């Protein structure tokens, strides 16, 4: 494992965490503001869907950004 790849992965992880925090705050905040659930069951279902969305956002941002950073780091360093 090259130092450039490791550094790229760490930078990617940091950017992924930042991107997740920003995207989650905006998207989930907007979803909660537009919640039109009336019954408790509807609210629980809505929260369950938000939890799934949060998991997907984590997988995409925190999971893929370090991989992308590693690849870019390796490509730049040669």
């Amino acid at each position: 494992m090259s130092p450039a790849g490791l550094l790229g992965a760490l930078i990617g992880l940091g950017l992924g965490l930042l991107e997740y925090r920003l995207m989650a705050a905006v998207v989930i905040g907007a979803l909660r503001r537009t919640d039109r659930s009336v019954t408790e069951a509807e609210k629980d279902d809505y929260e369950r869907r938000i939890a799934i969305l949060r998991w997907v956002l984590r997988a995409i941002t925190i999971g893929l950004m370090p991989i992308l950073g590693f690849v870019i780091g390796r490509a730049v360093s040669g």
Side-chain angles (χ1 to χ4, degrees):
M1 181 175 284
S2 72
L6 183 60
L7 180 62
L10 289 174
I11 292 171
L13 178 64
L15 289 175
L17 287 169
L18 177 67
E19 185 180 14
Y20 168 73
R21 301 265 303 164
L22 292 173
M23 285 177 62
V26 171
V27 172
I28 293 171
L31 286 174
R32 287 212 167 107
R33 283 191 303 273
T34 60
D35 183 11
R36 294 189 176 130
S37 302
V38 178
T39 66
E40 193 63 35
E42 288 176 339
K43 289 180 184 182
D44 290 342
D45 185 54
Y46 202 76
E47 286 300 318
R48 181 186 59 81
R49 291 175 190 223
I50 288 176
I52 292 170
L53 175 65
R54 185 178 289 132
W55 186 88
V56 169
L57 283 175
R58 276 188 204 130
I60 291 171
T61 58
I62 299 172
L64 292 180
M65 289 297 284
I67 295 169
L68 183 62
F70 177 80
V71 170
I72 292 172
R74 292 280 308 239
V76 168
S77 71

